[in-house]
Amino acid sequence: MKKYILFVVAAAAMVACNKSEVPSIDGGKNEADQKYVIYAEDVNTRTVTDASFNVTWTNNDNLAVYTWPADQALPEDAAWRAANPVNFIASEGSATPKPFSLSEADSDGSLAVAAGIPYEGRLSAFKDRYGNGSSSLKWGVIYPGKQSNPSWKGYGVIVFGNFELVHSTQNGNNNMAHLAYQDVLWGTATTTAENPVPTISMKHIGTMMEYTVVNETSSPITVNCIKITVNGAAIGGQYRINVFDGSISEYLLKDSEIHTCPLWVDKGEAIPVGGSAKFYQVLAPFKLDSGYKITMTVETDKGTWTNTKAFDDAISFESGKRNPTTLRINAVKEADPTLKTHEDTEVNWFKEGSNLGRYLDMANGIKYTLNDSFKQADVDIVIFRGSSQTALTFAAPSDQALQDYIDNSIKNWTTINDTKVKKVDVDFDSITKLSELQSAYDAASNEDKRCVLDFNETAIVKTVDGNYALIKVIGGEKYEKTDAKGNKIYVWGNFKLSVKTVE
């Protein structure tokens, strides 16, 4: 069930306050903060958020306040943008209800100012509408006040998930303070000349993700970042919201749609083995049809954990909803793993009466012969002699010439891996990390199903799983032979390899 936490902006007639009793927000330097006042009851609502998604007001909170005469249609031209919105700031002190007063300056980082809509014109237009008392006003209120960018007529812009525009960093474990920057609230009301101060109930527009990270590894881990990726729906971006009815347009601002939203963690504490910690993030509300997936990635000081979940049924992440999710970190993949070297201790001969050499598993560097017991799916490279036995060849099992002329049995394998390989000019010994191996592979341009190596030459293999490994011919023997045309050739009799795989 959709659940909203509400607050009320009380009418002036309902509270025993007058101009002299309203705390000033700027030390009394202008009359605006005394004349234009609304009151917010301190009712489980904004800025400090607890585990129930309840929030309470604090000093200097601010609101983007839109108004328009209730009996007038919104204009088709830019007058709409020039007239809205203005900035109201919570006064200091412990008064309940808490007063909010009109500010002569816009919010720091105001999106309206960033969009080139000066505050002076908006402020003047608001004072005119508020002060003439000749007509009722429609009010639309958005928290936080910096999200104050009028767009289409009657619409403002609110932001979710954009790291540059909202605070996407949690300070330590189990801390919700950053939600004050992410959690968009909206409310509306209509006032009259007799009752000029609005009573407004606010509700959450975003959906809150609550991640409980459980450490099921064998050592303490510290969370550095949590990323959620949803390819089937936008979970962030700059959205247009109708400030008078709360509906969100399906049309985001151009090129603002976000499918991956990171939550960075600053000064996170180590989670002990068997322990847990909570992390929080507010996203745009979204729906996923059946069959779509959500991928969660947790980056820690020990490495990265990733998990993808597919949904059999459609699912909605609704406005105002708290979505608890447990992320059980049972293993992590080192962010930049070290490479492990497997060097032959003895030479490898070819199968008697054949040019077939070895089957090579590039996940662990293990080599198999034709008579060994192995899983076909584990074979990434087959080594054989080609070109009248003069070419030491490393080929994917999917290589057609390999199947036709070297090992006909591969055609009947259940899994035939289409491995890629590139011959590279690199220093085998200096490459010690996966990132270095990936960079060297990307820099080379001769990707194929096979390559030929000679003494002290090197190749990088990329498996169908996206893993990388390095091969170098470090020894072996060639024998002089005369071919059928009487030419002198040198054929491979045996070979020795050094292989590097991800540790």
Side-chain angles (χ1 to χ4, degrees), residues 228-235 257-261 286-289 291-295 308-309:
I228 178 172
T229 299
V230 182
N231 291 326
I235 58 176
E257 184 172 311
I258 300 174
H259 292 276
T260 296
C261 289
F286 64 98
K287 297 179 180 179
L288 278 183
D289 294 331
Y292 281 94
K293 301 175 181 179
I294 292 180
T295 297
T308 299
K309 177 179 175 59

Side-chain angles (χ1 to χ4, degrees), residues 355-366:
N355 289 319
L356 179 63
R358 294 287 188 271
Y359 305 113
L360 193 53
D361 182 345
M362 300 311 303
N364 50 35
I366 295 177

Side-chain angles (χ1 to χ4, degrees), residues 318-329:
E318 301 170 348
S319 296
K321 183 178 180 181
R322 179 169 157 265
N323 307 283
T325 303
T326 300
L327 308 177
R328 298 187 177 278
I329 313 301

Side-chain angles (χ1 to χ4, degrees), residues 52 93 158 175 200 211 253 256 260 264 368 406 418 459 481 483:
S52 300
I158 56 178
N175 190 343
I200 301 176
Y211 309 123
L253 264 63
S256 77
T260 296
W264 303 98
Y368 302 99
I406 304 297
D418 188 28
K481 183 179 178 181
D483 65 13

Side-chain angles (χ1 to χ4, degrees), residues 234-369:
I235 58 176
Q238 299 183 56
Y239 293 76
R240 294 181 174 95
I241 182 173
N242 187 311
V243 297
F244 299 125
D245 70 19
S247 60
I248 298 179
S249 171
E250 63 183 86
Y251 301 103
L252 282 74
L253 264 63
K254 184 178 180 181
D255 299 326
S256 77
E257 184 172 311
I258 300 174
H259 292 276
T260 296
C261 289
L263 172 68
W264 303 98
V265 181
D266 187 26
K267 299 178 182 177
E269 300 173 3
I271 303 173
V273 175
S276 65
K278 290 187 176 182
F279 303 89
Y280 306 91
Q281 184 177 37
V282 176
L283 304 174
F286 64 98
K287 297 179 180 179
L288 278 183
D289 294 331
S290 61
Y292 281 94
K293 301 175 181 179
I294 292 180
T295 297
M296 297 301 309
T297 301
V298 180
E299 297 177 2
T300 77
D301 61 329
K302 300 297 194 307
T304 302
W305 172 90
T306 301
N307 185 61
T308 299
K309 177 179 175 59
F311 294 89
D312 295 331
D313 300 312
I315 186 171
S316 294
F317 295 82
E318 301 170 348
S319 296
K321 183 178 180 181
R322 179 169 157 265
N323 307 283
T325 303
T326 300
L327 308 177
R328 298 187 177 278
I329 313 301
N330 50 18
V332 294
K333 183 177 181 181
E334 188 180 344
D336 193 4
T338 301
L339 302 181
K340 181 179 181 179
T341 301
H342 313 266
E343 189 167 314
D344 283 344
T345 57
E346 54 186 45
V347 296
N348 299 269
W349 293 86
F350 297 94
K351 181 178 179 293
E352 187 176 353
S354 168
N355 289 319
L356 179 63
R358 294 287 188 271
Y359 305 113
L360 193 53
D361 182 345
M362 300 311 303
N364 50 35
I366 295 177
K367 294 183 292 297
Y368 302 99
T369 68

Side-chain angles (χ1 to χ4, degrees), residues 8 42 76-77 88 111 124 175 209 217 231 249 255 266 300 303 314 334 355 374 421 431 441 451 466 479 485 502:
V8 176
D42 196 13
E76 297 291 341
D77 57 22
F88 272 68
L111 299 187
S124 175
N175 190 343
M209 311 302 290
T217 70
N231 291 326
S249 171
D255 299 326
D266 187 26
T300 77
E334 188 180 344
N355 289 319
F374 58 85
V421 60
I431 296 181
Y441 186 89
C451 77
Y479 298 95
K485 296 181 179 181
V502 176

